[in-house]
Amino acid sequence: MIKLLIDRQLPSSESIATRRNFNEILDALPKKKTINSPWFYGAIGFSTVFLLILLNFFV
């Protein structure tokens, strides 16, 4: 392992620039819609939001 690190050539700035394609990688990832339904918050979170709405409405 040490021999591989010693004999390794340093990459040039051009090769580093060509490998920096972060936008292409991020665009290739599937888009996630996090808030599709109230069940996203879970049973406890949904009931807490509902309880806060009821308390604000009746108090």
Side-chain angles (χ1 to χ4, degrees), residues 38 41-57:
Y41 297 103
I44 296 172
F46 183 71
S47 61
T48 303
V49 170
F50 185 70
L51 181 65
L52 289 173
I53 291 171
L54 284 178
L55 285 175
N56 287 333
F57 184 71

Side-chain angles (χ1 to χ4, degrees), residues 14-54:
E14 291 85 18
S15 66
I16 292 173
T18 57
R19 292 182 185 188
R20 284 191 180 171
N21 55 356
F22 300 118
N23 290 331
E24 292 177 15
I25 293 170
L26 291 176
D27 290 339
L29 292 175
K31 304 292 186 239
K32 291 184 178 180
K33 294 181 180 179
T34 55
I35 304 176
N36 290 334
S37 70
W39 294 111
F40 168 76
Y41 297 103
I44 296 172
F46 183 71
S47 61
T48 303
V49 170
F50 185 70
L51 181 65
L52 289 173
I53 291 171
L54 284 178

Side-chain angles (χ1 to χ4, degrees), residues 4 6 8 10-11 17 23 28 30 33 42 48:
L4 292 175
I6 292 173
R8 182 178 176 207
L10 293 175
N23 290 331
K33 294 181 180 179
T48 303

